[in-house]
Amino acid sequence: MQIILGSASPYRGELLARLGLPFLQRAAQVDETPIAGEHPAALAQRLAAAKARAVGAGCCGAIVLGSDQTAECGDLLLGKPGNFAKAREQLRQLSGRSARFHTAVALLDTRSDRLLGDLAVTEVRFRPLSEAEIDAYLHRESPYDCAGSFKAEGLGIVLFDAILSDDPTALIGLPLIRVRRLLQELGVAVL
């Protein structure tokens, strides 16, 4: 059974490789614009399914994995900052607060058109951050392509007081515990 990761993300690719299964990686072309009033968890789930379906269109005999992550802090939806100024502002807003990261995964079996999905929620408690710490961190790691403006798998870990999750890879972008369980449901054994 061919596995296709419907994402161009190097982070997701590195995570999926941990399972030791061969896979292809293809970018998913999906409009990621939130629907008015859409909760961040619902947005992540909708986009994960849309990515699996977009990459799975025209594929036969494959399992396509789509994933998406959204983040919220209070009423603030945290996206990928894209540049230093926006990342600085995000980290200022997160300083001393908690944020919730919603990491959705969807697996599409193109043989049967069966779509399975799951969601991992991770709470990140940020410690109080000084302006100097924020600037030093951003200059060292440049996390402009990461929701929340940090890389938990790198130096970003020093920004936190705690991470609360039942799936430790979810915060990086792909909840492997859930992926393994969904693969098994589709008949793919990891071990």
Side-chain angles (χ1 to χ4, degrees):
M1 174 68 68
Q2 178 68 60
I3 298 172
I4 302 171
L5 174 59
S7 172
S9 165
Y11 311 114
R12 288 192 179 104
E14 289 171 13
L15 286 169
L16 187 57
R18 289 187 192 182
L19 297 183
L21 299 172
F23 67 93
L24 301 175
Q25 191 166 358
R26 295 186 184 151
Q29 302 302 318
V30 171
D31 179 3
E32 298 190 16
T33 306
I35 296 170
E38 188 173 30
H39 187 275
L43 172 61
Q45 290 173 306
R46 179 175 61 82
L47 292 178
K51 290 174 182 182
R53 290 217 179 269
V55 172
C59 290
C60 289
I63 292 176
V64 182
L65 191 159
S67 186
D68 196 77
Q69 183 179 71
T70 59
E72 62 177 321
C73 180
D75 293 335
L76 178 66
L77 181 64
L78 304 169
K80 297 174 184 174
N83 62 48
F84 181 89
K86 289 179 183 174
R88 177 193 276 163
E89 184 56 32
Q90 274 192 1
L91 290 177
R92 282 178 179 156
Q93 292 172 326
L94 291 167
S95 177
R97 298 179 70 191
S98 290
R100 292 172 57 91
F101 289 77
H102 306 278
T103 309
V105 62
L107 273 71
L108 174 67
D109 184 338
T110 62
R111 297 170 301 175
S112 64
D113 200 40
R114 183 177 178 199
L115 182 71
L116 302 177
D118 208 342
L119 178 74
V121 179
T122 305
E123 181 182 344
V124 178
R125 294 180 186 161
F126 286 80
R127 65 183 182 80
L129 303 169
S130 70
E131 292 289 320
E133 288 173 319
I134 290 170
D135 288 354
Y137 171 70
L138 293 175
H139 285 299
R140 285 183 62 186
E141 198 148 63
S142 303
Y144 310 131
D145 62 343
C146 302
S149 303
F150 65 84
K151 294 181 183 177
E153 70 278 19
L155 185 61
I157 199 76
V158 304
L159 305 175
F160 312 145
D161 275 334
I163 299 173
L164 307 170
S165 179
D166 66 355
D167 200 330
T169 57
L171 187 58
I172 303 169
L174 190 64
L176 291 181
I177 292 171
R178 284 162 172 79
V179 169
R180 193 246 4 119
R181 185 172 56 237
L182 295 174
L183 283 170
Q184 184 174 353
E185 255 188 86
L186 294 176
V188 178
V190 174
L191 293 176

